[in-house]
Every structure is written in structure tokens, then in C-alpha cells.
Amino acid sequence: AIEEQAVRIKNLVTNLNTENKLTYGMGSWKKEKILLPAVIRDTICEILNRNMDEKYDIRVSISEELEQLYIKGDKELIKRLLENLINNAVIHNPQGCEISVSLTAHRSLVFRNYVLELSDNGCGVNGRQLRRFNSLRKPSKLPEHGLGIRLVRQIVDFHHWSVHFYNHKSGGFCCKIVIAWKLIVLG
């Protein structure tokens, strides 16, 4: 229990530091050409190697056509985003849940977007929280819950992507991040 609380405190401090650096432009974040599927898999492996409880199952699904998808982004921020969303699923579903991470392409006649989606089949969140998570306004005071989600929004904004949070009809929480086509770097 002490080890678990120490990890939570470490994550909280890291989130606060990262949020302040993003807010005040103090971080040394840089957008570089990175292989997104590799960052996703590396992050998931790091999380699983921290002795994650067996009642949590993480599944990764990446479209075969996207295995060589390079984007411009900050690797450490993207890892932080993934860690926050997975940690939220674990923290808010103590009974256990399945966590899904997917990367897919969505095309129209004009646009090509890539969607990174993280979801769980847990308890979801209430309507008030969803409205707050999807709000463009930053709360004036530190929320009791939702700092990780607030940081996810900041990381998404830093990359000029878009994000939407919602509950599945069958239950569970979902974060859908759309990576715009114009920010894609050709491999």
C-alpha cells in the first residue's frame, strides 16, 4: 500500500511539474520526427513492467498500415499522456478493467486523420465531469480529480491535435485524440 501511494504521489508531482512547464513555456519540449506505434508500445511495456495488477488487461490495436506512422511530436509528452490515461483507468476502476489503446486512420475525400483512442470498460464518469473534461476553460483552482486529464488536454494542445472525452454506451470511459493530417511527417 505504501509503494502504491508513493507511485501516486510521484505521478502527481510529475504531472504538476509538466503542467507548469507547459503553461509557462518553461519546458524544453521539442517536436521531432517520432515513430508513434513504437512510442505507444514502449510506454505500454514500461507500464506493464511496473507489476501492474492482474485484474487490469491492456490491449493494443494498431492498424497494420500505420506501423510506420511518423509524426512530429515530443516523445516524453506523448508518453506522459498515455501514462496518465492508463493510470486514470486503473485508479478509478479498483475492481479491475480492460484497457484498450488503438491507433487507426480515418479518411475522407480531402482529409486524412489519425485517431489515438484509449478506453476502458470500467465505471465511466458522471456527466458533470465529462463536461468539465471537454471544456476549453481551465479551472481557476486545482481540481480534486482530473489533473491528469487536464494535463492530457495541455499535451494535446501543445501538439495542435484535438481531444474528446466520453463514456461508452455499454459503460467505461474513452479518450479520443485526433492527429490532424497536416502535422504528419512523411516517413
Side-chain angles (χ1 to χ4, degrees):
I2 292 171
E3 185 179 333
E4 201 174 282
Q5 288 303 316
V7 169
R8 284 188 77 183
I9 290 170
K10 178 184 175 250
N11 284 335
L12 179 62
V13 170
T14 302
N15 281 347
L16 286 169
N17 285 335
T18 304
E19 181 187 31
N20 282 329
K21 287 177 182 178
L22 282 168
T23 299
Y24 299 108
M26 299 178 345
S28 59
W29 319 118
K30 38 189 164 188
K31 294 179 186 171
E32 300 174 320
K33 183 178 172 182
I34 58 172
L35 182 59
L36 185 57
V39 172
I40 293 169
R41 286 192 175 95
D42 288 349
T43 305
I44 301 301
C45 284
E46 287 174 17
I47 291 168
L48 291 173
N49 286 336
R50 292 183 202 142
N51 296 321
M52 180 176 265
D53 195 315
E54 291 179 9
K55 60 186 173 185
Y56 300 99
D57 184 25
I58 301 178
R59 298 179 188 260
V60 178
S61 171
I62 298 174
S63 298
E64 189 175 327
E65 68 180 290
L66 301 182
E67 286 298 334
Q68 295 302 311
L69 176 64
Y70 285 89
I71 63 167
K72 282 190 87 167
D74 185 280
K75 182 179 178 179
E76 293 308 311
L77 287 177
I78 293 169
K79 288 178 80 162
R80 187 84 229 147
L81 176 145
L82 292 165
E83 286 177 5
N84 279 355
L85 291 169
I86 291 170
N87 286 340
N88 275 352
V90 169
I91 289 167
H92 296 291
N93 295 294
Q95 75 286 358
C97 67
E98 183 177 294
I99 301 165
S100 299
V101 181
S102 68
L103 180 63
T104 55
H106 292 268
R107 299 177 199 160
S108 69
L109 292 175
V110 180
F111 298 103
R112 182 177 174 119
N113 292 327
Y114 300 93
V115 176
L116 174 61
E117 195 164 48
L118 287 92
S119 61
D120 64 62
N121 64 351
C123 61
V125 298
N126 67 44
R128 195 176 107 252
Q129 286 176 308
L130 275 178
R131 284 188 296 280
R132 193 177 83 224
F133 292 166
N134 285 307
S135 172
L136 296 178
R137 286 186 311 123
K138 181 178 174 182
S140 57
K141 65 177 188 149
L142 191 64
E144 181 181 339
H145 299 289
L147 175 62
I149 296 294
R150 195 163 90 182
L151 183 56
V152 165
R153 287 194 65 85
Q154 282 187 289
I155 294 170
V156 165
D157 290 345
F158 172 83
H159 288 94
H160 304 288
W161 301 338
S162 64
V163 64
H164 181 70
F165 303 98
Y166 61 95
N167 285 323
H168 288 286
K169 291 178 186 171
S170 60
F173 181 70
C174 186
C175 173
K176 181 178 182 178
I177 298 167
V178 178
I179 302 168
W181 67 273
K182 64 183 176 182
L183 299 176
I184 301 305
V185 177
L186 298 176

